[in-house]
Amino acid sequence: RMKLYPDVFRGYRAWKPVRQPDGRLRLASLVMGGLVWAPGEWTHARAHVDPFTSSTHAAPEPGCNCGIHALSGLDALFRQYGFAIYVLGEVELAGTIARHGQGYRASRARVSAIFTWDRPFLDAQRKERVRATARAMADIYGVPLRAEHETALC
């Protein structure tokens, strides 16, 4: 049985930076066909369509994996995505929220912070490109850019 939470929650997730056809840089989900997140707006989970019955339901739904996913802890975020070249950050989750694995599934979310940290496996030039991308995304989305040591204070 799924327990639903009515309040706004904080979660953590990864995105890939993508350039739109008009040249704008945006954050896109790693799954869900690269769903692009609009700056300053809520991103809404897509309704799930059952391919066998064509029935639909709103996300999140018990017994389904639908909804916007976010991890509940920074340790899980850095463990799962810290060695990849993704943009990591914090999101506000709202609407219908369900506990799921190491985090949550929500009906909507929006970017609330972007993180930057030292990735020891990158050379100096790539580290600076990753930092520059994080700075650009924080500016585009109008959210704070937080260094790794600052995220523990959130």
Side-chain angles (χ1 to χ4, degrees):
R1 184 169 159 87
M2 180 171 76
K3 183 174 181 182
L4 300 177
Y5 299 89
D7 299 325
V8 173
F9 275 62
R10 182 183 326 190
Y12 307 96
R13 58 177 292 129
W15 300 270
K16 58 186 171 188
V18 296
R19 190 153 309 275
Q20 298 295 97
D22 62 5
R24 294 177 302 161
L25 195 57
R26 294 292 184 258
L27 296 173
S29 296
L30 301 178
V31 295
M32 291 303 297
L35 175 69
V36 174
W37 292 52
E41 296 180 18
W42 289 100
T43 298
H44 294 268
R46 296 177 180 164
H48 177 76
V49 179
D50 185 314
F52 300 106
T53 65
S54 296
S55 65
T56 62
H57 63 260
E61 177 75 16
C64 187
N65 199 30
C66 61
I68 296 176
H69 290 239
L71 295 165
S72 59
L74 286 168
D75 56 339
L77 178 74
F78 286 108
R79 189 172 53 252
Q80 192 165 346
Y81 297 108
F83 290 99
I85 304 177
Y86 294 127
V87 175
L88 305 185
E90 177 186 282
V91 292
E92 293 176 332
L93 304 168
T96 304
I97 302 168
R99 195 84 170 115
H100 181 80
Q102 293 183 27
Y104 308 102
R105 295 183 295 125
S107 57
R108 67 181 188 267
R110 66 179 167 199
V111 180
S112 55
I114 298 294
F115 300 145
T116 184
W117 71 99
D118 186 33
R119 293 175 168 113
F121 60 92
L122 295 178
D123 62 45
Q125 186 176 13
R126 285 194 65 157
K127 281 182 187 180
E128 184 47 40
R129 278 201 320 253
V130 169
R131 284 188 202 108
T133 299
R135 281 192 301 271
M137 289 303 185
D139 287 346
I140 290 166
Y141 284 81
V143 298
L145 178 66
R146 295 189 184 141
E148 178 182 17
H149 65 278
E150 295 172 330
T151 60
L153 306 175
C154 302

